[in-house]
Amino acid sequence: MSAQIIDGKMIAGRVRIGVAKEVEAFAAQFGGAVPGLATILVGDDPASAVYVNGKQKACCEVGMQAFNFPLPTDAPRAAVVELVERLNADAEVSGILLQLPLPAHLDGAELTGMVDARKDVDGLTPVSAGLLALGREGLRPCTPSGVMTLLEVAGATLEGAEAVVIGRSNLFGKPMAQLLLGANATVTICHSRTRDLAAVCRRADVLIAAVGRARMVKGDWVKPGATVIDVGMNRDESGLVGDVDFAAVSEVAAAITPVPGGVGPMTVAFLLRNTLQAARMQRGEAG
Ligand code: NAP
């Protein structure tokens, strides 16, 4: 079998076009106002700067406002708190993104938690995580939301399906499992202490890997006909590779995401979608 390749780049492009159209409609409805995303970048980590620039550019491309607030590496906690509080109160700012990781003297989880949940476009505050766990309306983390769209476009059946998520991070694994549960899948979350990981993976109709170990998921870990989503981003001598052995698994799976060009582009697309949803919620509309 040769798997269908799930083209995340193309699907993310469609999401962005949809957001751009909705931004136009938003502006028409609200007297020219457009959603705005504020990014906070503390320090000069080159990778973080590239990510923030990409997010800013993507915002402008769909007609949203983008504001960046750089702070020096040695910015005291109080300066970050003051900025988050100011942005929480700023009506022009629909979404706030505190770029992680922060310098060692700052607590990323604590400071992220200060973002107003209605502006939490990363979906990482305790309030957003709680709303997701309760199945109530709120902003969902971008990467798992993007994966749900990839599964939908790939035609994967989730209701009653066995879904296995490898990885239990707050950023991805836990919210991914919640979203799958919300779609009526039977969900198993695996991690570094899981016994016989390969056997658990072989049960999966939908297998999602978010570990950070290059090509860990082998061809004989996958049930024939499964849908496989590779969230991993690892650098090795051949460049950017995922957590799945793509060549071997694509001979067994029905559908698979490539790395690059699979999950990655969906994350920024859903950041834009979340910023639009946040702007709507702040104007009293359902997201
Ligand atoms: P993380 O916080 O490091 O979590 C990794 C998870 O993998 C942990 O739950 C860990 O288990 C588990 N794990 C580690 N070794 C394992 C093993 N041998 N067997 C089974 N489970 C194992 O990472 P993350 O933030 O979730 O990210 C995971 C990967 O996804 C990374 O490559 C990251 O770059 C990528 N990612 C990509 C995007 C995107 O936009 N494409 C977004 C987010 C993440 P324990 O909990 O027991 O330690």
Side-chain angles (χ1 to χ4, degrees):
M1 187 189 297
S2 197
Q4 169 205 345
I5 309 298
I6 305 170
D7 186 347
K9 203 170 166 202
M10 185 267 289
I11 298 165
R14 291 209 306 240
V15 172
R16 287 184 188 219
I17 289 168
V19 171
K21 283 189 186 143
E22 288 183 55
V23 169
E24 267 182 37
F26 184 96
Q29 187 180 353
F30 296 111
V34 293
L37 174 69
T39 49
I40 304 173
L41 177 61
V42 188
D44 51 13
D45 176 57
S48 293
V50 169
Y51 288 139
V52 166
N53 284 340
K55 290 165 186 174
Q56 296 259 314
K57 188 165 160 270
C59 272
C60 297
E61 282 169 4
V62 295
M64 292 183 187
Q65 291 196 84
F67 316 98
N68 188 31
F69 296 89
L71 290 174
T73 307
D74 61 355
R77 176 184 171 280
V80 186
V81 172
E82 188 272 328
L83 179 56
V84 170
E85 286 175 350
R86 184 153 58 83
L87 297 174
N88 278 341
D90 185 337
E92 275 197 68
V93 172
S94 324
I96 302 169
L97 186 149
L98 180 61
Q99 183 67 40
L100 300 174
L102 293 176
H105 68 287
L106 297 170
D107 179 341
E110 187 231 0
L111 291 164
T112 298
M114 290 181 183
V115 171
D116 184 329
R118 291 168 312 152
K119 299 191 176 189
D120 175 22
V121 285
D122 256 346
L124 295 178
T125 63
V127 173
S128 297
L131 291 171
L132 172 57
L134 296 174
R136 284 173 44 193
E137 187 189 329
L139 292 161
R140 310 305 194 210
C142 301
T143 309
S145 298
V147 169
M148 290 302 282
T149 294
L150 293 178
L151 290 170
E152 190 188 329
V153 175
T157 302
L158 295 179
E159 176 135 349
E162 289 267 0
V164 172
V165 181
I166 320 175
R168 58 174 165 180
S169 66
N170 292 331
L171 179 71
F172 183 80
K174 286 178 192 163
M176 186 72 248
Q178 293 284 357
L179 289 174
L180 291 164
L181 197 57
N184 297 320
T186 301
V187 184
T188 304
I189 307 178
C190 300
H191 45 77
S192 64
R193 320 289 163 81
T194 297
R195 260 185 276 138
D196 201 350
L197 180 60
V200 179
C201 291
R202 271 193 292 273
R203 294 206 312 252
D205 302 303
V206 172
L207 177 61
I208 301 176
V211 181
R213 293 169 74 102
R215 302 187 186 91
M216 185 182 84
V217 176
K218 307 297 180 203
D220 63 358
W221 292 26
V222 174
K223 179 174 170 178
T227 301
V228 178
I229 305 287
D230 190 351
V231 184
M233 292 201 301
N234 312 288
R235 291 214 170 263
D236 73 1
E237 61 288 345
S238 59
L240 189 63
V241 295
D243 291 343
V244 174
D245 181 344
F246 183 86
V249 171
S250 56
E251 291 302 313
V252 184
I256 185 169
T257 56
V259 177
V263 173
M266 298 301 284
T267 301
V268 175
F270 271 79
L271 175 65
L272 302 175
R273 180 149 283 300
N274 274 357
T275 305
L276 175 67
Q277 183 187 342
R280 286 214 183 110
M281 288 183 342
Q282 284 151 40
R283 288 176 185 262
E285 296 200 339

